[in-house]
Amino acid sequence: MEFKNLITRKADGIGWVTINRPDKLNALNAETVRELKSAFLELEKDAEVKAVILTGSGEKAFVAGADISELAGLDLTQGKQYALEGQELTKIIENFRKPVLAAINGFALGGGTEIALACHIRIASENAKLGQPEVKLGLIPGFGGTQRLARLIGKGKAMELVLSGRVVEAKEAQEIGLVNKVVPLDNLHVEAETMAKEIVKNAPLALEYAIEAINKGLDRTLGEGLNLEAEIFGRACGTEDSLEGTKAFLEKRKPNFRGK
Ligand code: COA
């Protein structure tokens, strides 16, 4: 895959997507959003890829937000369309059928926090700074931030961050549950890769089903979510890999999962 604003590569079953506009702190212009959609859709089809790590190029920024030069002067209709385009990307990432990890290597502001929120797991470098500063521009988050932030860290903290536009350091981001783990910048890629490799040792369909159950369950009442879980659990029981996983345990050997 050749992209203007992304670098993609595959290694040991992991697909790497690096947003590469370092002179603009990897700000998301419309072209980059389109390229990210294409990259993720390709990686979803690629059987060699078991998990994806999304990061930014350079040592300063993951993504410093939507490209503000493209936001200036949007009218009501264009603004809604702009948000829908970005939300389409975050939905692709959130509902990706393989685990997606964000390796947050610096500023993740506005759209940067929003694409990180759509990832299944977030690992941040010690120099990372996250926030939703849109209100400082007279805007609100439009790529899912008002919805996913509140679901992840709770309404009170989400209100505080979105209304103040305050940017939080990595340590605080971890304390409030916005990121899963904080590591030195030099170790960020290795830590993300190690976590991804640990995850992909598990049965691929079980990973896909777990992502589906957690994502869909959050949109439902507890009762409906539990019904959904039972249904998806049944689906998992119907896979060859569940037979293999349980049999391997009883035979005291490592399972050989085949994604079936
Ligand atoms: N959109 C477009 N360009 C951006 C950008 C964004 N979101 N964030 C940074 N850039 C550009 C800057 O305009 C600058 O470009 P230039 O060299 O052509 O002037 C370049 O990236 C470097 O940024 P700069 O502001 O000089 O770096 P800094 O270290 O002084 O500050 C930030 C870093 C992240 C604090 C600052 O760039 C910033 O506040 N960015 C906007 C963050 C934001 O509001 N995001 C939400 C948008 S909805």
Side-chain angles (χ1 to χ4, degrees), residues 23-25 27 60 64-68 71 107 109-110 133-134 137:
D23 54 325
K24 296 290 175 195
L25 303 186
K60 195 167 166 187
D67 191 317
I68 296 171
L71 292 176
F107 286 111
L109 302 178
E134 288 87 349
L137 302 170

Side-chain angles (χ1 to χ4, degrees), residues 21-29 60-61 63-71 82 107-112 114 129 131-137 139-142 167:
R21 295 182 79 211
D23 54 325
K24 296 290 175 195
L25 303 186
N26 305 321
L28 296 174
N29 59 0
K60 195 167 166 187
V63 168
D67 191 317
I68 296 171
S69 67
E70 292 185 353
L71 292 176
Y82 185 90
F107 286 111
L109 302 178
E114 290 173 297
K129 292 183 171 59
Q132 300 283 175
E134 288 87 349
V135 289
K136 293 179 189 290
L137 302 170
L139 296 169
I140 69 164
V167 169

Side-chain angles (χ1 to χ4, degrees), residues 60-213:
K60 195 167 166 187
F62 172 69
V63 168
D67 191 317
I68 296 171
S69 67
E70 292 185 353
L71 292 176
L74 293 182
D75 68 17
L76 191 144
T77 312
Q78 292 164 328
K80 181 174 179 188
Q81 190 53 36
Y82 185 90
L84 289 173
E85 299 278 339
Q87 288 179 6
E88 200 187 325
L89 169 64
T90 55
K91 282 195 266 186
I92 289 172
I93 297 173
E94 180 166 55
N95 298 314
F96 204 70
R97 298 197 343 254
K98 311 169 197 186
V100 183
L101 290 79
I104 304 168
N105 56 308
F107 286 111
L109 302 178
T113 285
E114 290 173 297
I115 55 169
L117 283 170
C119 295
H120 304 133
I121 292 172
R122 286 153 291 283
I123 304 175
S125 57
E126 286 166 347
N127 66 321
K129 292 183 171 59
L130 295 91
Q132 300 283 175
E134 288 87 349
V135 289
K136 293 179 189 290
L137 302 170
L139 296 169
I140 69 164
F143 291 2
T146 61
Q147 305 306 304
R148 292 194 182 95
L149 190 63
R151 281 169 170 76
L152 186 68
I153 66 170
K155 181 177 169 183
K157 268 288 164 197
M159 282 285 186
E160 180 195 326
L161 292 190
V162 172
L163 298 185
S164 67
R166 184 167 69 85
V167 169
V168 299
E169 308 266 340
K171 187 171 170 290
E172 183 179 352
Q174 185 180 18
E175 283 162 7
I176 62 176
L178 179 48
V179 301
N180 299 73
K181 191 171 183 181
V182 179
V183 300
L185 180 61
D186 287 346
N187 299 356
L188 181 64
H189 285 186
V190 172
E191 291 273 355
E193 193 174 13
T194 303
M195 195 186 281
K197 284 187 173 164
E198 194 60 36
I199 290 171
V200 301
K201 282 185 198 158
N202 301 315
L205 285 174
L207 296 176
E208 177 184 333
Y209 295 167
I211 291 168
E212 181 187 350

Side-chain angles (χ1 to χ4, degrees), residues 6-23:
L6 305 179
I7 301 167
T8 57
R9 68 182 173 92
K10 282 188 284 182
D12 301 331
I14 310 293
W16 288 81
V17 179
T18 303
I19 300 167
N20 186 38
R21 295 182 79 211
D23 54 325

